[in-house]
Amino acid sequence: MASQLFAAIDVGSFKLELGIYEITAKNGLRQVEHLRHVIALGKNTYSTGKISYELVDEMCRILGDFTGVMKAYGVSDYRAYATTAMRVAKNSHIILEQIRVRTGIKVRILSNSEQRLLTYKAVAMKEAEFQKIIQKGTAIVDVSFGSMQISLFDKDSLVSTQNLPLGVMRIGGLLSRIPAAGWQQKSLVEEIVDKELETYKKMYLRDRDMKNRGIKNLIAIGELILYLARDEVDNGMTDRIEASEFIEERFGVNAGYASLLMPAAVIFCRVVEMTGAEMIWIPGVRMCDGTAAEYAHNIKKLHFTHNFDEDILTTSRNMAKRYRCGGSHPQCVEKMALELFDVMKKNHGLSGRDRLLLQIAAIIHGCGKFISTRNVSDSAYNIIMATEIIGLSHEERKLVAEAVRSYEEEFDYADNDTRVAKVTALLRLANALDRSHKQKLSECRMIVKNGELLITAAYEGDISLELLAVERCADFFEEIFGIRPVLKKKRRG
């Protein structure tokens, strides 16, 4: 039985972690080593905007030790990801280069949506419990050092996901400026948390019938809940962990870590109160587990029952609903875009991931009209760049935003690469094929032949608007792919 050793490294806001996993086709994933080093990168970032040289030096030393452990185990591949603290640090690119030069480790900074998807994949490894729980209204609550994420599932489908500025290190930094006793600090934390959760509740829980469609289950993840769960904490846990000295003794952590547990406890308790959840599941996973799970899935040695791409699309459709750009036209554009992608597969050189991004762009391409009917393109770009789409990197979200901005405007060759141009060209043509918004060409036939993309319409009525729209975008399409789209009616008789 051939096995492979893989390493996952998490450069977090408060710690560095190394997980080493054995991957086999028969048994999937098994952790064989876990190392953790506490280092408060986020404390610098949230107070000064940068990570100090002293912390960088310590980080490089520990990561250097990690490389020694990886070599000793004979690790064949690894992934190293950085999250919130590095994401917001002004000097992050300099730090990444220092890490590469001094340790040989290449660290990639994840977007928040990528980070959260990895943790969901870690939970999904426990697929029997995960699939059962999310059949009913479920909230995944991920409280970390830099921020907090709440994701809602209903009937196996991701309904929404939202990031809140409730990271415990952020809260701790704010409290450090306010002289107050333990019980007073707890009260202040409750005020901070209640303010953010009340806004969230109004935006995302307002239309949910809490009796029939409410949140029945909570899935609590993140390192902090692992410590809190050691003592089988319940809804009264905040009353028992007000003083840092008491937390140190109860949970066996240092003073710096202890000061973060009280805000975490308050957040979890307040979420329970807000949702009225009947059950809390703590699967006990870390981001390193998700990193390893994704890698094992990519090399086809681990299979997920849950469809994460469908979660991404569901999030996009809910976004379209929010900005009033759903309906038959975007559904038709989505269908046309996917058909164009597939028929042009030998000509465009794009990946399956690009197909997903094109599909997202088609779903939300009309969102800019929610803000302005005169400046639709820029409005759409701003909406997309300001909205989190679970699982997409910043670069992928920008590709979608640029394609949506450019599908009816002049393409900016200077600021966009060929990949963006290809997605834009496909989206333009897909939109042109429903220019009348009446789905006249929904049953058309497409084929690439003799340097042309022949689109044959079965519709017997007037398709003048579609003919004109296809002709207008044909030059750009031909320039990008070397194939000219031609729309014609099917011959009768």
Side-chain angles (χ1 to χ4, degrees):
M1 178 175 63
S3 66
Q4 176 181 352
L5 287 174
F6 171 80
I9 297 174
D10 176 14
V11 181
S13 296
F14 199 78
K15 87 290 186 198
L16 301 174
E17 276 190 295
L18 169 68
I20 295 179
Y21 301 82
E22 182 183 55
I23 304 173
T24 62
K26 181 178 180 180
N27 298 322
L29 201 62
R30 181 177 71 90
Q31 186 180 79
V32 296
E33 181 66 272
H34 175 256
L35 299 176
R36 178 178 176 276
H37 176 82
V38 174
I39 178 171
L41 300 179
K43 189 173 182 180
N44 267 183
T45 302
Y46 305 136
S47 60
T48 68
K50 297 195 298 184
I51 297 175
S52 69
Y53 173 75
E54 290 75 19
L55 286 177
V56 174
D57 189 53
E58 180 183 355
M59 179 167 41
C60 288
R61 178 172 55 81
I62 300 305
L63 290 175
D65 292 342
F66 283 0
T67 60
V69 174
M70 290 159 62
K71 288 178 182 177
Y73 271 95
V75 166
S76 60
D77 205 354
Y78 76 94
R79 295 291 183 271
Y81 295 139
T83 54
T84 310
M86 195 76 78
R87 193 160 56 232
V88 300
K90 298 175 184 176
N91 58 340
S92 59
H93 295 299
I94 296 172
I95 296 170
L96 294 182
E97 180 62 12
Q98 284 204 37
I99 292 172
R100 186 190 67 80
V101 171
R102 294 173 61 178
T103 71
I105 294 175
K106 294 181 180 179
V107 179
R108 185 166 83 84
I109 299 175
L110 296 180
S111 69
N112 180 69
S113 57
E114 289 177 298
Q115 174 188 344
R116 304 305 171 174
L117 187 62
L118 281 181
T119 58
Y120 299 163
K121 288 183 176 181
V123 177
M125 286 197 318
K126 302 174 182 290
E127 59 181 12
E129 296 95 332
F130 180 66
Q131 288 299 129
K132 180 181 178 180
I133 286 173
I134 64 174
Q135 296 305 313
K136 296 182 178 180
T138 300
I140 298 184
V141 183
D142 184 358
V143 179
S144 62
F145 299 97
S147 62
M148 168 193 180
Q149 193 87 7
I150 303 180
S151 299
L152 301 181
F153 282 82
D154 196 7
K155 297 180 181 178
D156 194 30
S157 179
L158 180 66
V159 177
S160 69
T161 183
Q162 188 67 26
N163 188 253
L164 281 67
L166 286 177
V168 295
M169 193 168 285
R170 292 179 187 269
I171 295 174
L174 179 61
L175 292 179
S176 67
R177 304 172 197 169
I178 304 173
W183 66 270
Q184 291 174 310
Q185 286 202 339
K186 172 175 171 284
S187 180
L188 290 171
V189 171
E190 288 173 344
E191 288 185 16
I192 294 169
V193 172
D194 288 346
K195 177 179 73 71
E196 295 294 339
L197 290 183
E198 184 60 29
T199 301
Y200 174 83
K201 184 176 181 179
K202 288 178 180 177
M203 292 182 65
Y204 295 95
L205 299 181
R206 182 182 59 186
D207 297 329
R208 296 181 72 89
D209 177 356
M210 287 311 217
K211 183 177 180 180
N212 299 314
R213 297 182 57 248
I215 307 303
K216 304 296 183 184
N217 308 312
L218 287 185
I219 301 176
I221 58 178
E223 183 174 346
L224 293 157
I225 193 63
L226 299 181
Y227 279 92
L228 294 172
R230 286 181 179 183
D231 197 42
E232 297 181 347
V233 290
D234 54 23
N235 287 0
M237 59 189 171
T238 53
D239 294 328
R240 302 202 304 271
I241 55 175
E242 295 175 8
S244 292
E245 294 81 4
F246 189 55
I247 300 173
E248 291 175 56
E249 181 180 343
R250 180 179 294 277
F251 294 100
V253 296
N254 61 34
Y257 202 92
S259 67
L260 304 175
L261 287 179
M262 184 269 286
V266 170
I267 292 170
F268 280 113
C269 283
R270 285 305 206 239
V271 170
V272 171
E273 293 171 6
M274 176 183 73
T275 60
E278 300 167 359
M279 188 275 291
I280 303 176
W281 178 41
I282 303 172
V285 297
R286 304 172 187 270
M287 201 182 84
C288 284
D289 300 324
T291 302
E294 181 177 73
Y295 179 84
H297 176 73
N298 289 342
I299 63 172
K300 303 186 185 309
K301 291 188 177 180
L302 179 68
H303 174 69
F304 287 117
T305 301
H306 187 75
N307 188 332
F308 289 96
D309 282 353
E310 192 56 41
D311 284 341
I312 297 173
L313 293 173
T314 301
T315 302
S316 302
R317 291 192 175 98
N318 286 328
M319 179 180 169
K321 183 179 179 181
R322 187 186 319 151
Y323 293 108
R324 308 291 192 272
C325 60
S328 55
H329 172 66
Q331 290 174 8
C332 183
V333 174
E334 178 185 354
K335 175 178 178 292
M336 293 294 189
L338 296 180
E339 290 180 5
L340 287 168
F341 185 97
D342 293 341
V343 78
M344 290 282 294
K345 191 173 183 178
K346 292 182 180 179
N347 305 94
H348 56 53
L350 295 171
S351 67
R353 185 69 175 183
D354 295 320
R355 188 180 190 272
L356 177 66
L357 298 179
L358 171 64
Q359 189 172 2
I360 294 169
I363 291 169
I364 60 177
H365 76 276
C367 65
K369 293 178 182 178
F370 183 82
I371 294 178
S372 171
T373 56
R374 299 190 60 176
N375 191 20
V376 176
S377 299
D378 287 340
S379 296
Y381 179 88
N382 292 330
I383 286 174
I384 295 167
M385 292 306 294
T387 304
E388 185 171 276
I389 302 174
I390 189 71
L392 297 196
S393 67
H394 175 78
E395 290 74 20
E396 289 175 329
R397 192 164 78 246
K398 187 176 181 182
L399 183 151
V400 171
E402 289 288 2
V404 170
R405 177 160 66 178
S406 302
Y407 85 96
E408 282 190 334
E409 301 290 335
E410 184 176 351
F411 186 77
D412 189 340
Y413 292 88
D415 291 338
N416 294 302
D417 60 20
T418 54
R419 187 164 163 241
V420 178
K422 289 177 180 180
V423 173
T424 300
L426 290 167
L427 181 62
R428 278 189 184 183
L429 183 55
N431 185 63
L433 292 173
D434 191 37
R435 185 66 182 85
S436 65
H437 288 218
K438 293 185 177 180
Q439 298 77 58
K440 297 176 181 179
L441 306 184
S442 58
E443 301 302 323
C444 67
R445 179 173 176 267
M446 303 179 187
I447 186 172
V448 177
K449 185 177 181 181
N450 299 328
E452 291 182 334
L453 169 60
L454 299 177
I455 305 167
T456 306
Y459 184 74
E460 297 181 1
D462 187 4
I463 59 169
S464 298
L465 287 177
E466 283 73 21
L467 285 166
L468 179 60
V470 169
E471 185 59 32
R472 283 180 173 175
C473 68
D475 288 345
F476 180 70
F477 193 92
E478 185 176 29
E479 178 184 355
I480 301 303
F481 298 115
I483 302 290
R484 189 170 187 85
V486 177
L487 173 61
K488 62 180 183 180
K489 276 192 171 186
K490 183 179 180 180
R491 292 181 179 177
R492 299 295 172 183

